[in-house]
Amino acid sequence: MEISIIALPLIASIISGFFGKLIGDRNSEIITSLLVTISAILSAFVLYQVIFNQYQDNIVIAKWISSGTLEVNWSMKIDPLSAIMLVVVTSVSSLVHIYSIGYMSHDPHKPRFMAYLSLFTFAMLMLVTSDNFIQLFFGWEGVGLCSYFLIGFWFKKDTANTAAIKAFVVNRVGDFGFALGIFLIFYLFGTVNYSEVFKLIPTITEKDLIFLGIKINAIDLICILLFIGAMGKSAQILLHTWLPDAMEGPTPVSALIHAATMVTAGVFLVVRCSPIYEYSELALNIITIVGMSTAFFAATVALVQTDIKKIIAYSTCSQLGYMFFAAGVGAYNVAMFHLFTHAFFKALLFLGSGSVIHAFKDEQDINNMGGIYKKLPYTYILMIIGTLALTGFPFLSGFYSKDAIIEFAYLRGNTTGYYAAGIGILTAFLTSIYSWRLIFKTFHGKYNNKNIKIEETHESPLVMLIPLFLLSIGAIFAGYTFKELFIDQSTDNNFWKDSIFFLKPLSTEHPPIWFLVLTPILVISSIPITYYLYVKNKNLPEQIANVNKPLYHFLLNKWYFDELYDVLIVKPSKNLGLFLWKFFDIKLIDGFGPDGISALIKKCSLKANKFQSGYIYQYAFIMLLGFSALLTFLIIK
């Protein structure tokens, strides 16, 4: 049964990819959606077994690599951590498959799209069920490849191709660090299997290495290298630039890749490697700083974006920052809790935005929307639910997981933890502002679209609304239902068992009351503030922007990270490439190589051709010269 969870999406991908034209569009959609849904049902059963029967297993599918001390299997590790990820990946993926039937109804390449979705799901499942770093890397690169296919699915659009290449290249930067981390693990331990590596970690706590001329603790170096990989995949600051541009792909892609699966792989990696990270205070502090910086940065940028999908994309970036600084303060279980709840409400928001885009015939600018809450009542209500959950409105899923992150950061008791908690509270307020800005500008106020009449906008079909409804159930109830399971670390009810390692147990104290109520008060108060700014007094935001033009343009241009990379990396690399091409390649290699030799032969041939005159005395003269040269050579010799 467990192997079927992985195998079914792969089979679905093969059938739709290779036989899609033969079986037709509708059959491709039905087969892929059905098989992935069955995988989701089986995953839910596995999670039930893990929760109530403490089921754990390591199923070896096949032997893979056997070379010296390197023994690697294709395997399926079932434990609480992988069981949670199985449910998240397969449930969101199955709903995205079903949603895509309606959203991609007018696309001529539906079988290819469904095949990519299923293949992506397979790669992600291989990643989360691995019991060694090599299989993890296989799944890691698999989701990276599939994201390239999916982001650039509409390959006739230049922007889609550029975004796909950008995502692929930026992820390669992170993956280089990740690969170095795996090499270092094998160099130090002679194995890449989790269980063996984690047992040996305490034996090298005092071991130092020289890396790039710098003396550094071996565990610190491993953790930092692995985290560089996580930064790239989970779009943390400095390696985040690919995520917003990835919105060029179809909306179901955004929901699948950028809400619940690929971007959470970095968080999963850090949590899976908690037995390593717990021995590296340096790495945990770096993770906390990077996480809280990303959370704040992405929230500020989302405040001024106008593309409905990019606002949600920056929101994803920000929420991933929350997950990382939760892991950085040692609350790995809380990071997973937010990953779990976030999957539901963020997929709901992405698919809801797709419903809006569908109604506006591919329009994505919220300035060209407005006043349609009566035309799209179901989408409106469901996106309100997603927004409430995202902002941490009391008693919805985000309230339990996000507030828990802020509380544990505060309870960490060190400077980094206090800073993270403060940034977390401020970011929660900003999150609420930009989230309600999206709702009010999209659904309220005056209708602003000049190309589409409001009568032409329409609610999405049931095949798109049903996945939204199911996700809304998770957005409402997932936090309350699973709070105790995820967070309670008592010996009687330790759900995580050995899948998460705590060198120091988490604090069981409670923060002061003022701290507990501060975030909910800010979140609730932001709703009337945003309503006044974007519905009642629409000119005020523009006036504020005009007064603070440098700040406004700084945020609008995403802190100028793309421009900075263009100046520091892209243009110098391009100029270096042009120089090497024109000077070394054309002038030196080609000039003295194939082009030079061919030119010399041609020149010699033209000279020699002049001797082919047809006069006997010239031939006799040449023969005499040749005889003289031969005779001279023989005499000298």
Side-chain angles (χ1 to χ4, degrees):
M1 178 188 73
E2 289 86 349
I3 296 176
S4 299
I5 296 173
I6 294 178
L8 289 174
L10 178 61
I11 294 168
S13 177
I14 292 171
I15 292 172
S16 184
F18 289 102
F19 307 104
K21 288 185 177 180
L22 187 65
I23 63 177
D25 293 354
R26 182 45 55 90
N27 286 331
S28 294
E29 292 169 339
I30 292 172
I31 289 171
T32 51
S33 301
L34 179 63
L35 293 181
V36 175
T37 302
I38 293 172
S39 182
I41 294 168
L42 295 176
S43 297
F45 181 73
V46 168
L47 180 60
Y48 174 85
Q49 291 286 82
V50 170
I51 294 173
F52 294 102
N53 297 325
Q54 288 74 51
Y55 169 63
Q56 294 193 51
D57 201 358
N58 190 14
I59 303 164
V60 177
I61 300 171
K63 295 284 184 182
W64 185 13
I65 300 172
S66 180
S67 177
T69 59
L70 183 62
E71 295 283 343
V72 178
N73 298 323
W74 288 111
S75 58
M76 188 171 182
K77 182 179 179 67
I78 303 294
D79 66 356
L81 185 57
S82 61
I84 288 293
M85 292 301 296
L86 284 175
V87 169
V88 168
V89 172
T90 56
S91 59
V92 173
S93 179
S94 61
L95 294 175
V96 168
H97 274 74
I98 296 167
Y99 178 91
S100 300
I101 295 173
Y103 190 86
M104 303 294 288
S105 58
H106 301 297
D107 194 276
H109 306 292
K110 289 186 278 291
R112 179 165 62 90
F113 182 75
M114 302 304 283
Y116 288 164
L117 288 182
S118 298
L119 184 62
F120 177 90
T121 306
F122 163 74
M124 191 67 194
L125 292 174
M126 290 298 291
L127 188 159
V128 300
T129 58
S130 62
D131 75 339
N132 61 80
F133 286 98
I134 303 298
Q135 185 180 325
L136 174 71
F137 193 72
F138 169 81
W140 194 272
E141 294 302 306
V143 293
L145 176 65
C146 292
S147 70
Y148 172 79
F149 291 152
L150 287 165
I151 295 166
F153 179 75
W154 288 322
F155 55 85
K156 293 184 180 179
K157 287 174 61 180
D158 289 338
T159 51
N161 282 325
T162 304
I165 293 170
K166 186 176 183 180
F168 198 76
V169 171
V170 173
N171 271 277
R172 296 292 71 72
V173 176
D175 293 352
F176 179 68
F178 185 31
L180 288 179
I182 296 174
F183 295 153
L184 182 57
I185 286 171
F186 181 70
Y187 169 75
L188 292 171
F189 305 115
T191 180
V192 290
N193 296 316
Y194 293 153
S195 57
E196 297 170 7
V197 171
F198 297 160
K199 284 180 183 177
L200 293 171
I201 284 294
T203 64
I204 63 161
T205 53
E206 304 299 324
K207 186 176 181 62
D208 292 328
L209 298 170
I210 304 297
F211 182 73
L212 300 178
I214 301 170
K215 186 177 181 181
I216 186 170
N217 180 267
I219 295 179
D220 289 342
L221 182 57
I222 291 171
C223 291
I224 291 169
L225 290 172
L226 294 180
F227 180 60
I228 290 172
M231 284 177 64
K233 198 65 76 182
S234 292
Q236 294 301 281
I237 195 166
L238 301 180
L239 295 179
H240 67 279
T241 53
W242 67 271
L243 183 63
D245 289 5
M247 297 301 106
E248 289 293 336
T251 300
V253 173
S254 305
L256 181 62
I257 295 179
H258 309 121
T261 53
M262 189 180 94
V263 292
T264 61
V267 180
F268 171 80
L269 171 66
V270 173
V271 175
R272 174 60 83 190
C273 293
S274 57
I276 307 177
Y277 280 96
E278 279 292 271
Y279 288 94
S280 176
E281 193 68 28
L282 172 64
L284 289 177
N285 285 331
I286 291 173
I287 292 171
T288 306
I289 293 168
V290 170
M292 68 182 184
S293 302
T294 305
F296 177 72
F297 151 74
T300 60
V301 174
L303 288 171
V304 298
Q305 298 300 306
T306 57
D307 186 309
I308 187 170
K309 285 171 64 178
K310 284 191 176 181
I311 295 171
I312 304 173
Y314 276 109
S315 173
T316 299
C317 199
S318 182
Q319 298 306 306
L320 288 165
Y322 271 103
M323 297 175 207
F324 273 111
F325 83 66
V329 298
Y332 307 99
N333 54 330
V334 183
M336 287 303 300
F337 185 32
H338 194 51
L339 185 156
F340 181 73
T341 59
H342 174 264
F344 294 105
F345 58 72
K346 189 51 62 67
L348 173 59
L349 286 171
F350 266 121
L351 296 184
S353 69
S355 184
V356 173
I357 294 166
H358 187 71
F360 276 95
K361 299 178 181 177
D362 297 329
E363 175 61 67
Q364 295 184 197
D365 192 334
I366 59 175
N367 289 328
N368 296 328
M369 299 176 186
I372 57 165
Y373 70 94
K374 291 182 180 178
K375 297 291 291 181
L376 282 73
Y378 301 116
T379 299
Y380 173 64
I381 292 169
L382 292 167
M383 284 197 72
I384 288 285
I385 293 171
T387 299
L388 289 169
L390 168 63
T391 57
F393 193 85
F395 310 116
L396 273 77
S397 58
F399 168 74
Y400 293 99
S401 57
K402 189 188 291 185
D403 280 26
I405 290 174
I406 296 170
E407 290 168 23
F408 277 104
Y410 178 84
L411 291 172
R412 182 72 172 178
N414 58 11
T415 305
T416 310
Y418 289 139
Y419 272 119
I423 294 293
I425 292 170
L426 176 59
T427 303
F429 178 69
L430 297 177
T431 300
S432 194
I433 294 288
Y434 70 67
S435 299
W436 287 108
R437 169 179 174 264
L438 184 151
I439 292 294
F440 292 139
K441 287 183 74 70
T442 302
F443 293 100
H444 290 269
K446 182 183 175 183
Y447 184 76
N448 296 312
N449 197 297
K450 297 178 181 178
N451 299 319
I452 304 168
K453 294 180 180 179
I454 192 169
E455 293 78 14
E456 295 178 27
T457 59
H458 56 85
E459 187 60 272
S460 297
L462 275 177
V463 73
M464 292 171 66
L465 290 176
I466 290 173
L468 291 176
F469 173 74
L470 294 174
L471 287 168
S472 70
I473 295 173
I476 296 170
F477 298 110
Y480 176 77
T481 306
F482 290 92
K483 179 186 177 184
E484 294 299 323
L485 184 73
F486 277 80
I487 297 179
D488 188 1
Q489 292 299 296
S490 64
T491 54
D492 296 332
N493 185 33
N494 186 359
F495 164 69
W496 297 105
K497 305 294 185 219
D498 298 326
S499 62
I500 295 178
F501 176 74
F502 296 96
L503 191 62
K504 299 176 183 177
L506 294 177
S507 174
T508 55
E509 297 178 11
H510 292 283
I513 296 297
W514 66 265
F515 186 83
L516 293 174
V517 300
L518 180 58
T519 306
I521 288 172
L522 289 174
V523 166
I524 294 170
S525 64
S526 68
I527 301 174
I529 293 171
T530 313
Y531 182 78
Y532 177 77
L533 286 172
Y534 296 102
V535 179
K536 285 295 183 183
N537 192 351
K538 290 185 178 180
N539 295 325
L540 186 57
E542 187 176 347
Q543 292 169 3
I544 294 171
N546 289 331
V547 172
N548 300 278
K549 271 192 175 180
L551 176 61
Y552 174 73
H553 287 291
F554 179 70
L555 298 180
L556 190 64
N557 288 284
K558 303 158 287 189
W559 290 27
Y560 292 103
F561 271 106
D562 283 303
E563 290 78 5
L564 182 65
Y565 289 163
D566 193 50
V567 171
L568 295 180
I569 300 172
V570 177
K571 285 182 179 177
S573 299
K574 194 178 289 186
N575 291 335
L576 177 63
L578 287 171
F579 170 74
L580 293 174
W581 170 53
K582 289 182 178 179
F583 183 76
F584 283 96
D585 198 23
I586 294 177
K587 289 187 178 180
L588 292 181
I589 298 174
D590 287 348
F592 290 99
D595 290 349
I597 292 170
S598 61
L600 179 64
I601 291 172
K602 183 179 179 181
K603 190 174 182 180
C604 292
S605 299
L606 291 172
K607 294 289 184 181
N609 188 49
K610 293 180 179 179
F611 291 105
Q612 304 295 323
S613 61
Y615 296 109
I616 295 176
Y617 66 84
Q618 284 190 350
Y619 294 156
F621 177 69
I622 292 169
M623 292 171 66
L624 182 62
L625 286 176
F627 177 74
S628 300
L630 178 64
L631 189 64
T632 303
F633 174 74
L634 291 172
I635 291 171
I636 293 173
K637 188 177 179 180

